[in-house]
Amino acid sequence: MMTDTRSLNVNILPCPTWNKLSVNRATVDISSFSKEKEKPQFTLNNLGPVRRTKIRAVEAEKYADSLSDGIRREAYIAGKRAIYQEQHFQTGLGRELTDFLLENVDEAEIYTVPEAAEVYAPVILKWEFGKTGHSASMQVIHALKDSHSTFLIFTKSEKEASGELMMETKVILEEGATVNLIKVNLLGDGITVLNDTGALLRDNATFNFTQMVLGGNKNYVGCFADQCGDNTIFNINAGYLVNKDHLLDINYHGAMRGKNSDAKIFVKGSLSDSARKVFRGTIDFRKGSKGSKGDEQEDVLLLTPGVINKTVPVILTEEEDVDGRHGATVGNLLPDMLYYLGTRGIDSKAAEMLITRGRLLSIANTIPDDETVNFINLFIREAFEVNECF
Amino acid sequence: MNNMETEGAIHYDPAIDNSVDDINAYLEGTDRSLYNFRDESTDYYKVDSGLTRDIVDKISEEKHDPEWMHEFRLKCLDIYNNLNVPQWGPPIDGLNMDNIVTYVRPNTDMKASWDQVPEEIKSAFDKLGIPQAEHEFLAGVGAQYDSELVYHNLQESVAKMGVVYSDMESALNGPYKDMVKEYFMHLVPPTDHKFAALHGAVWSGGSFVYIPKGVKVEVPLQSYFRLNAKGAGQFEHTLIIVDEGADLHFIEGCSAPKWNVANLHAGCVELYVKKNARLRYSTIENWAKNMYNLNTKRAIVEEGGRMEWVSGSFGSHVSYLYPTTILKGDKSSCEYTGITFSGKGQDLDTGCRMVHMGKRSSSLITAKSLAKDGGINTFRSEIKVLPEAEASKSSVDCQSLMLDDISRSDTIPEIDVRVDNCDIGHEAKIGRISDEAVFYLMSRGIPENEAKAMIVSGFANPISKELPLEYAAEMNNLIKLEMEGSMI
């Protein structure tokens, strides 16, 4: 049986904080990860004109690297010693996960979207776990010039399932390409998830990334976008629901290097019980990003005492003609609102569910797959143990 | 010999309205070298450079420390030697403690009359406008030159109210020695970080203030710190206790001439705000641009108490400055209002921390920064809301203005919330001077340079309006000086 006693450092901020809140990085214990566990069932639907190539993982890595000119390594960021890891094609979780996957994944897939193709029905990659499972996968999505495509990566399991899921998705968007990448996690209470994304955007490319993290025991998710081209757009819409003693650790980063680019990171979610959450969001105006705009917003709903909510919304600016902003709001359900709903026969548990569902469905409803949206709806209701009339 | 490079102090008229236009009009003809005069003749006594046990013993002996303080200094030296330099901030590689002189005593003891202060030192404070300010609007003044206070005075009427305002050494050996022992470096323990330990080992100078219960001091007290000696450090300790229901505005000013070697400022400010008391602590920092300003400021606020920080950071080569407030009591509150202006060769890492412990405690942070000529600004903040701080509120508003494309401006805020019923908001914005605003002003006949200067002054106005007129004028003067040459 293969086990690993190592831990991985992931989701590393580009510049150090005081670290009084221990948010400079996350450390993942991977000693219980085992390839011997059952493999989840994988299905692929709606491939359409998209070409799928299976290739050795190391070759896929070289392929992605060959398309990236790499972000220059900086000794200092914000005048401080940079702490992020050097990684040619940068991703949110970072190099240590990539290295680990390269050791543990035999085959990766390259999905090539043909030039000028318009693929509106989502290509659906689904992993379904049984009671236990181990999944490690790497994908490269290469969207050629002026193509338009949507990919939905859906992971689900039984409620009590355990195991681990590790995934790295690299997206290369050639000039004028648009990719909508949707990642949905409806996994069980015993699954540890490391779900990583990296994107490279050439001129006029648009990358819309939607992430729903509703299940899993410990979730480490990240996305890094290298906006190396001019007039690029990078949008993140993320929603989460973290309850029980679960952990969610997020690192989203938009690095604008080309002119007139746009990065938006919008995150909203609910925390309850003794849940813990860390959100790191970085809007990064690099040299050359004149005329660019960045915005990051997080809206957190705290449903019970005992939660730990950490937020680090960073803006780095080394260019003058830019417009960057961030905002964060942390609050709870107002007593007036609960009272009002109570007078309509809706108890506090149902009220919490309704408010949370409303927030999360505002993101989920943009997913162009009804079955997935229904699963999300059901998952939220079950999480609150609220009866079907809601 | 006085190496005085400029004449020309600001002459304030307190009758003037505290508005940007008026202040700017007031400042016509001021000079960049206003703060940059040197006096090379006054370092009457100094210890060797570097940091050793012998040096710490010598400082302790010079200052007639009680035994507990001597032991405390040695304990701090031990801690200093065992702590690492912080890795998260701007590089401080240019600071070599082996080259820093930690104690420089000027050629005078402390006086209660400016007439008795040696002429070359008095002249320095005259240029900075301190005696005049004392005469016009301060209740008391402490003036420190290098490592020691050279002047200290408190208005008789204020002293009669029971207000204690003295230098730290007198407090340490006087009637309030037990109080000093009780509070000294308890809020900022030497284990806090390497430079807090350094401070504990070699501190000298600074002020002790005690405001008795219910006493409201209507006019501010001020301490001014002037570091004149080349390659020296200044390590003043400020300890203020505002007792229940009392009220104080304390002003701190600092400046130094520029030398071609590193100077170090590692002061420590400990503020105790008791039940229903209020303390406003205003600082205009204008150290020379060879200064490493590694200063520690902390306040603890009890039930119903209020702490107000007003901070302007303009000088220093490198700054680490994050006033921290522990909102311990229920319904305690804090407001931080600060501006940082970094120019060529400056890396100013500033911000604040708020720790909410009391129920219904509240904090409000308004921070502004400007960067130009390759200057680096970093705003850091931390809002920590502990589980017992139910129904607490915090709001952070951070705005940065980039004045060219060779500078940097970053914001690194952190929020840690551990209670569900609280209300936390955070907003930050980074941008440049709006072309539309400049165009609008130019269309009204205002030249481009002036239009930009007006916009920058307006940007800083929410901070300057929190200061007494004279300090608002000084702050606007500093902004004006910093802006010189940046707009063509």
Side-chain angles (χ1 to χ4, degrees):
Chain A
M1 184 173 134
M2 188 217 87
T3 56
D4 200 312
T5 53
R6 286 186 302 172
S7 58
L8 299 177
N9 290 309
V10 298
N11 283 351
I12 301 171
L13 274 173
C15 54
T17 69
W18 292 312
N19 212 28
K20 288 180 187 292
L21 305 184
S22 303
V23 292
N24 283 348
R25 62 175 58 79
T27 302
V28 190
D29 176 7
I30 56 168
S31 55
S32 64
F33 286 15
S34 169
K35 273 176 145 177
E36 307 302 318
K37 291 174 193 162
E38 189 184 333
K39 288 213 167 7
Q41 187 184 351
F42 174 72
T43 54
L44 174 65
N45 289 309
N46 297 344
L47 197 56
V50 176
R51 194 170 67 245
R52 180 189 185 215
T53 310
K54 287 194 166 190
I55 186 173
R56 285 178 58 224
V58 285
E59 296 301 324
E61 173 77 359
K62 282 182 189 166
Y63 178 74
D65 281 357
S66 70
L67 295 169
S68 166
D69 59 356
I71 286 196
R72 70 187 152 86
R73 171 73 172 157
E74 291 177 307
Y76 291 95
I77 289 186
K80 330 303 176 282
R81 294 165 184 85
I83 56 171
Y84 67 88
Q85 298 164 333
E86 193 168 6
Q87 190 180 26
H88 189 78
F89 193 118
Q90 203 156 345
T91 60
L93 269 78
R95 193 189 66 218
E96 289 190 18
L97 176 65
T98 302
D99 291 347
F100 183 77
L101 286 172
L102 287 173
E103 288 172 16
N104 290 281
V105 175
D106 298 327
E107 265 189 342
E109 291 94 34
I110 297 178
Y111 296 89
T112 307
V113 187
E115 189 169 321
E118 298 197 349
V119 187
Y120 288 103
V123 177
I124 302 176
L125 293 78
K126 186 192 282 188
W127 279 264
E128 195 159 356
F129 281 65
K131 280 194 165 36
T132 182
H134 170 95
S135 173
S137 65
M138 301 176 87
Q139 305 87 35
V140 176
I141 297 170
H142 189 183
L144 299 184
K145 189 178 174 189
D146 295 328
S147 63
H148 185 291
S149 57
T150 300
F151 288 80
L152 168 60
I153 296 178
F154 184 31
T155 52
K156 71 187 287 284
S157 75
E158 292 178 17
K159 196 76 184 156
E160 298 78 23
S162 63
E164 58 271 357
L165 179 138
M166 289 167 286
M167 175 184 292
E168 182 189 88
T169 310
K170 289 179 174 169
V171 187
I172 299 118
L173 299 100
E174 299 293 352
E175 189 180 335
T178 297
V179 171
N180 304 312
L181 175 63
I182 302 151
K183 289 188 168 181
V184 177
N185 164 353
L186 302 182
L187 292 165
D189 286 345
I191 297 181
T192 299
V193 179
L194 291 94
N195 198 336
D196 196 10
T197 306
L200 182 144
L201 288 78
R202 300 206 192 285
D203 290 354
N204 304 307
T206 300
F207 180 48
N208 298 311
F209 181 54
T210 303
Q211 185 153 39
M212 301 289 292
V213 184
L214 307 182
N217 176 13
K218 291 177 180 169
N219 268 284
Y220 303 87
V221 301
C223 180
F224 184 99
D226 175 6
Q227 298 177 257
C228 58
D230 293 343
N231 307 307
T232 61
I233 297 172
F234 169 47
N235 292 320
I236 289 184
N237 261 298
Y240 58 79
L241 169 62
V242 192
N243 55 13
K244 301 175 184 167
D245 60 349
H246 295 173
L247 164 72
L248 171 60
D249 194 284
I250 306 172
N251 186 33
Y252 293 148
H253 189 149
M256 286 167 273
R257 298 198 287 158
K259 290 196 291 283
N260 302 317
S261 293
D262 200 348
K264 288 194 180 75
I265 300 172
F266 293 157
V267 179
K268 60 174 93 170
S270 296
L271 302 176
S272 61
D273 308 322
S274 53
R276 294 157 292 153
K277 184 230 76 186
V278 179
F279 167 65
R280 302 173 196 82
T282 303
I283 296 289
D284 191 353
F285 296 105
R286 300 285 181 103
K287 235 0 160 203
S289 63
K290 278 186 187 298
S292 295
K293 293 179 179 175
D295 192 0
E296 57 179 320
Q297 303 287 335
E298 194 197 15
D299 186 3
V300 191
L301 186 60
L302 307 178
L303 297 174
T304 55
V307 297
I308 298 178
N309 173 59
K310 298 181 183 180
T311 300
V312 192
V314 174
I315 302 182
L316 307 174
T317 313
E318 59 177 10
E319 190 58 81
E320 173 205 19
D321 181 16
V322 296
D323 183 353
R325 59 190 70 203
H326 63 71
T329 54
V330 182
N332 63 343
L333 290 178
L334 297 173
D336 289 357
M337 187 190 293
L338 288 175
Y339 176 77
Y340 174 81
L341 292 170
T343 62
R344 265 65 185 166
I346 299 169
D347 64 23
S348 61
K349 197 76 180 168
E352 288 171 2
M353 191 279 289
L354 285 172
I355 301 296
T356 299
R357 189 173 64 176
R359 295 153 74 93
L360 295 176
L361 286 184
S362 68
I363 301 168
N365 284 333
T366 64
I367 298 172
D369 182 64
D370 290 345
E371 188 187 20
T372 304
V373 177
N374 288 338
F375 274 126
I376 291 171
N377 204 344
L378 186 65
F379 193 96
I380 296 169
R381 203 167 60 204
E382 285 178 357
F384 284 89
E385 297 170 348
V386 172
N387 68 43
E388 287 185 15
C389 69
F390 295 109
Chain B
M1 186 189 94
N2 275 349
N3 182 14
M4 195 175 68
E5 296 179 0
T6 181
E7 299 293 335
I10 306 172
H11 299 288
Y12 301 119
D13 178 0
I16 199 164
D17 179 53
N18 186 5
S19 70
V20 171
D21 286 348
D22 289 344
I23 291 168
N24 281 339
Y26 216 13
L27 294 164
E28 287 298 320
T30 54
D31 189 315
R32 179 175 291 278
S33 52
L34 176 64
Y35 305 92
N36 198 26
F37 52 87
R38 301 169 182 172
D39 178 350
E40 296 176 355
S41 66
T42 57
D43 44 336
Y44 162 74
Y45 171 81
K46 62 182 182 184
V47 296
D48 292 338
S49 59
L51 185 61
T52 62
R53 177 174 174 142
D54 285 348
I55 287 172
V56 173
D57 284 341
K58 191 72 188 161
I59 292 172
S60 187
E61 184 187 328
E62 282 290 321
K63 303 196 69 61
H64 310 293
D65 279 346
E67 187 50 35
W68 72 266
M69 180 58 79
H70 180 223
E71 285 171 12
F72 181 78
R73 286 181 188 274
L74 294 176
K75 183 179 131 194
C76 290
L77 178 65
D78 251 7
I79 296 168
Y80 173 84
N81 287 330
N82 286 301
L83 287 176
N84 293 322
V85 170
Q87 293 297 306
W88 42 263
I92 50 174
D93 307 340
L95 177 66
N96 182 351
M97 276 309 295
D98 291 341
N99 298 332
I100 295 291
V101 177
T102 51
Y103 183 73
V104 180
R105 191 179 65 207
N107 187 17
T108 180
D109 54 2
M110 193 175 70
K111 307 293 185 192
S113 163
W114 283 110
D115 293 338
Q116 295 170 346
V117 175
E119 185 53 36
E120 64 274 17
I121 295 177
K122 180 174 178 290
S123 163
F125 288 104
D126 276 341
K127 290 187 193 79
L128 296 163
I130 306 303
Q132 187 179 351
E134 179 186 14
H135 174 68
E136 290 173 353
F137 68 93
L138 293 172
V141 163
Q144 180 163 333
Y145 201 73
D146 293 329
S147 299
E148 293 291 1
L149 274 95
V150 293
Y151 173 84
H152 214 284
N153 192 31
L154 179 65
Q155 275 181 12
E156 199 179 329
S157 58
V158 179
K160 278 182 180 168
M161 294 161 76
V163 171
V164 178
Y165 179 37
S166 78
D167 62 298
M168 275 303 297
E169 285 77 6
S170 302
L172 195 58
N173 293 299
Y176 289 87
K177 60 184 179 188
D178 292 340
M179 193 181 271
V180 174
K181 190 175 179 183
E182 182 185 346
Y183 288 101
F184 187 88
M185 291 200 80
H186 280 246
L187 200 47
V188 182
T191 48
D192 208 59
H193 57 83
K194 192 172 182 72
F195 295 97
L198 172 66
H199 174 90
V202 299
W203 76 273
S204 59
S207 299
F208 171 74
V209 181
Y210 173 71
I211 310 296
K213 285 182 184 176
V215 170
K216 297 188 188 305
V217 184
E218 302 289 342
V219 284
L221 302 178
Q222 183 190 25
S223 284
Y224 198 96
F225 304 102
R226 176 77 179 170
L227 180 56
N228 178 70
K230 183 179 182 179
Q234 196 169 59
F235 307 95
E236 84 286 352
H237 194 95
T238 303
L239 174 59
I240 300 177
I241 300 157
V242 186
D243 215 331
E244 291 183 13
D247 192 306
L248 173 69
H249 182 186
F250 191 88
I251 299 170
E252 175 193 70
C254 34
S255 68
K258 185 171 180 181
W259 298 96
N260 57 1
V261 297
N263 277 55
L264 169 63
H265 176 233
C268 180
V269 175
E270 296 184 289
L271 310 174
Y272 293 84
V273 182
K274 303 288 187 180
K275 187 176 175 182
N276 295 325
R278 170 187 171 270
L279 172 59
R280 170 171 283 213
Y281 195 92
S282 302
T283 307
I284 298 292
E285 180 268 299
N286 184 32
W287 294 117
K289 291 177 184 173
N290 60 319
M291 179 70 84
Y292 287 82
N293 182 33
L294 313 174
N295 207 9
T296 309
K297 297 180 176 182
R298 196 161 297 168
I300 187 163
V301 188
E302 295 186 3
E303 184 184 342
R306 180 168 176 78
M307 179 68 216
E308 297 169 0
W309 300 97
V310 181
S311 176
S313 295
F314 297 90
S316 304
H317 170 51
V318 167
S319 232
Y320 287 54
L321 183 62
Y322 325 99
T324 298
T325 309
I326 300 163
L327 295 163
K328 182 185 172 195
D330 294 349
K331 296 184 184 175
S332 55
S333 63
C334 180
E335 185 170 346
Y336 170 88
T337 310
I339 188 163
T340 302
F341 196 136
S342 68
K344 187 177 181 181
Q346 290 184 279
D347 191 342
L348 305 185
D349 199 302
T350 61
C352 64
R353 293 178 64 216
M354 302 282 178
V355 181
H356 290 254
M357 294 171 71
K359 291 184 180 67
R360 296 187 178 278
S361 53
S362 62
S363 60
L364 174 65
I365 296 170
T366 306
K368 303 215 172 199
S369 64
L370 301 105
K372 74 175 219 351
D373 290 347
I376 299 172
N377 262 329
T378 305
F379 170 76
R380 288 174 198 272
S381 67
E382 179 189 308
I383 305 296
K384 186 159 191 166
V385 185
L386 295 174
E388 55 270 35
E390 292 173 9
S392 290
K393 293 185 178 182
S394 179
S395 173
V396 182
D397 180 9
C398 170
Q399 294 182 33
S400 301
L401 204 53
M402 296 279 285
L403 299 178
D404 57 40
D405 60 2
I406 56 170
S407 303
R408 269 202 85 112
S409 189
D410 303 308
T411 67
I412 310 174
E414 298 172 76
I415 301 168
D416 181 351
V417 177
R418 294 171 184 234
V419 63
D420 62 329
N421 61 340
C422 64
D423 186 356
I424 310 297
H426 179 104
E427 281 186 25
K429 189 175 184 309
I430 291 180
R432 66 169 188 164
I433 292 178
S434 147
D435 289 338
E436 287 82 3
V438 175
F439 178 76
Y440 174 82
L441 291 169
M442 288 173 69
S443 72
R444 264 59 185 167
I446 298 167
E448 185 179 355
N449 288 359
E450 284 182 32
K452 287 184 175 176
M454 283 175 74
I455 291 166
V456 169
S457 289
F459 179 76
N461 195 37
I463 318 294
S464 58
K465 75 180 185 186
E466 294 296 325
L467 292 164
L469 167 68
E470 290 74 8
Y471 295 91
E474 183 183 353
M475 197 186 87
N476 277 41
N477 180 37
L478 289 166
I479 291 172
K480 181 168 174 275
L481 296 175
E482 294 293 345
M483 293 294 292
E484 274 177 8
S486 68
M487 292 161 187
I488 298 165

